[in-house]
Amino acid sequence: MDNSGLVWGNDALYKQQMFAEYINGKNALVAQGGGQRSIFTAGVLDAFLYSNFDPFSTFYGTSAGALNLCAYLCRQPEIGKSFLLDLTTDDRFFNLFSFVRQKHYIGLDWALNKICSSPYKLDIDMGKEMLVGREAYAAVTRADNFHDDYLPMLATDWLDVIRATCAIPNLVSRPISVAGKEFVDGGVSASVPVQEAWRQGARCIIVIRTELPEHPLLSGQEATELASKHDKEVWYRSPIDNIQSFWNEKVDQGKKSIEDFIDERVGKSGSDKSLSRLELLNGGRWLFGADNVYRLSHLLGTKLDAGLADMLMVHYQTYALTQEFISNPPEDCYVMQIIPEEPLRSSSLMSSTEDLLFDYQQGLNSGYRFIDEYQSTRKLKIKKGAHVNLMLNR
């Protein structure tokens, strides 16, 4: 499709004249979730801040993507990076053995309280000022029917909204209540809330991805050229391959790996057939992927209940529709994806500092590249408009 494109660290793939037709309309910025993988998003948004770049009318974020957008709107570079690099790597946020043995959930409240205090301290007043005349929303999932909903960010209840969009099933103790309704992680029903941006009138939609997307432009000759820069198997492999590294952490020196331990527990249940089905349905986009949600249930001695199964099915269905929308947008809009230069090295949780910093740099590179492409396209549009005016005045 001519009305969609890709930008990454050292290159881009799109029709500039087509992009130029849309950039002066209502521009939306959409940030996908992804746990610690959202360090890439933090890099993109920091590149925007360092360049004083903000041509957007509306903002939509899911989970950690929403938190990164808050830092962007508050005009605080490296806050999103610090949240992921400093706080989510702390044992007080998540410790696998405490979770498995004592069911200690992720320390989301602890981390959010930290980000609201010195030395971080999100400047919410600045964020509200930056939103005057504009709108920002966090994607959430209603706990009663698993429908997507969109709550205003940086309003009076902004902290509860962030808690709700990050309330990952099985990793938080209960749904989050906001304005009398209960919500869980927006990634269940709207991992990339691009359709909502379009429904609300955005016609130039910029999407920051934390996974390498399928895309019609990545076929044929252009795909071959792109694949020459990366190993094709790596470029197209499922994101679950990256997320599986979470389970390859060692229990302790000389002990079995987490993967072996979980396989042993799951094997005892005799449910391998169901596990394979869930792997196929989810594909690894929801924090750990459906298979690992299932495995966590077995580690805790619980069964995959109907509610969790329904969530997984909703996620699969909505994500498939979202991917189709992004790959083939309606004719009245343009979708540009900002993607990593290469597959992200970080996982959703338990990533190394080195991998997080590498992916943050990828985000910076892709962010700066997008700014260059956007400004070049804008100049093309201005030049084209001046030429038209000249012809009309003759």
Side-chain angles (χ1 to χ4, degrees), residues 143-214:
D144 57 348
N145 58 18
F146 307 137
H147 290 176
D148 56 321
D149 206 342
Y150 301 88
L151 305 180
M153 289 197 291
L154 298 179
T156 303
D157 57 355
W158 77 272
L159 195 54
D160 286 337
V161 169
I162 293 300
R163 291 172 65 223
T165 191
C166 295
I168 303 157
N170 264 29
L171 288 184
V172 295
S173 59
R174 62 180 65 87
I176 305 300
S177 178
V178 181
K181 296 179 181 179
E182 292 192 329
F183 301 98
V184 296
D185 179 22
V188 174
S189 59
S191 56
V192 192
V194 62
Q195 293 108 312
E196 179 67 9
W198 176 74
R199 285 192 293 263
Q200 298 304 321
R203 291 301 176 259
C204 181
I205 306 173
I206 311 305
V207 186
I208 305 174
R209 300 296 299 270
T210 51
E211 59 181 343
L212 295 175
E214 299 173 7

Side-chain angles (χ1 to χ4, degrees), residues 132-146:
V132 172
R134 302 191 291 178
E135 298 174 320
Y137 298 95
V140 293
T141 302
R142 288 185 52 167
D144 57 348
N145 58 18
F146 307 137

Side-chain angles (χ1 to χ4, degrees), residues 96-146:
L96 180 61
F97 293 104
S98 294
F99 179 81
V100 170
R101 294 168 181 167
Q102 301 172 353
K103 203 169 184 178
H104 285 176
Y105 296 100
I106 58 172
L108 182 60
D109 289 340
W110 168 82
L112 290 175
N113 288 334
K114 281 286 188 180
I115 210 68
C116 294
S117 308
S118 297
Y120 308 106
K121 199 167 180 60
L122 271 171
D123 190 347
I124 302 302
D125 290 336
M126 174 62 77
K128 291 179 179 179
E129 183 177 337
M130 290 297 103
L131 274 180
V132 172
R134 302 191 291 178
E135 298 174 320
Y137 298 95
V140 293
T141 302
R142 288 185 52 167
D144 57 348
N145 58 18
F146 307 137

Side-chain angles (χ1 to χ4, degrees), residues 75-324:
R75 295 300 188 254
Q76 291 175 281
E78 303 212 8
I79 286 290
K81 172 187 176 184
S82 295
F83 181 86
L84 295 164
L85 186 63
D86 300 343
L87 301 181
T88 69
T89 59
D90 193 298
D91 280 347
R92 286 170 288 185
F93 181 77
F94 182 77
N95 181 283
L96 180 61
F97 293 104
S98 294
F99 179 81
V100 170
R101 294 168 181 167
Q102 301 172 353
K103 203 169 184 178
H104 285 176
Y105 296 100
I106 58 172
L108 182 60
D109 289 340
W110 168 82
L112 290 175
N113 288 334
K114 281 286 188 180
I115 210 68
C116 294
S117 308
S118 297
Y120 308 106
K121 199 167 180 60
L122 271 171
D123 190 347
I124 302 302
D125 290 336
M126 174 62 77
K128 291 179 179 179
E129 183 177 337
M130 290 297 103
L131 274 180
V132 172
R134 302 191 291 178
E135 298 174 320
Y137 298 95
V140 293
T141 302
R142 288 185 52 167
D144 57 348
N145 58 18
F146 307 137
H147 290 176
D148 56 321
D149 206 342
Y150 301 88
L151 305 180
M153 289 197 291
L154 298 179
T156 303
D157 57 355
W158 77 272
L159 195 54
D160 286 337
V161 169
I162 293 300
R163 291 172 65 223
T165 191
C166 295
I168 303 157
N170 264 29
L171 288 184
V172 295
S173 59
R174 62 180 65 87
I176 305 300
S177 178
V178 181
K181 296 179 181 179
E182 292 192 329
F183 301 98
V184 296
D185 179 22
V188 174
S189 59
S191 56
V192 192
V194 62
Q195 293 108 312
E196 179 67 9
W198 176 74
R199 285 192 293 263
Q200 298 304 321
R203 291 301 176 259
C204 181
I205 306 173
I206 311 305
V207 186
I208 305 174
R209 300 296 299 270
T210 51
E211 59 181 343
L212 295 175
E214 299 173 7
H215 197 280
L217 289 178
L218 295 179
S219 60
Q221 182 177 355
E222 289 171 319
T224 302
E225 294 172 356
L226 186 58
S228 68
K229 301 175 184 177
H230 314 288
D231 179 77
K232 196 167 186 178
E233 287 187 10
V234 171
W235 182 260
Y236 284 108
R237 70 187 179 186
S238 170
I240 193 65
D241 293 338
N242 296 325
I243 297 175
Q244 281 298 117
S245 64
F246 167 82
W247 297 109
N248 293 330
E249 299 290 334
K250 298 297 182 181
V251 177
D252 280 313
Q253 288 187 354
K255 293 185 178 182
K256 292 187 297 183
S257 71
I258 292 296
E259 180 69 34
D260 292 339
F261 177 55
I262 294 173
D263 282 340
E264 180 181 308
R265 291 292 300 271
V266 173
K268 289 180 180 179
S269 73
S271 302
D272 289 341
K273 185 176 181 180
S274 297
L275 176 61
S276 298
R277 176 174 175 270
L278 288 175
E279 286 178 334
L280 176 64
L281 288 180
N282 185 266
R285 287 168 293 269
W286 179 18
L287 189 63
F288 302 118
D291 59 325
N292 290 327
V293 171
Y294 184 78
R295 292 178 179 203
L296 280 174
S297 296
H298 277 282
L299 277 176
L300 298 173
T302 59
K303 295 182 179 180
L304 182 68
D305 61 24
L308 185 55
D310 286 344
M311 284 189 198
L312 298 176
M313 183 61 71
V314 166
H315 173 82
Y316 164 70
Q317 292 171 339
T318 57
Y319 187 87
L321 291 172
T322 297
Q323 187 57 50
E324 175 62 24

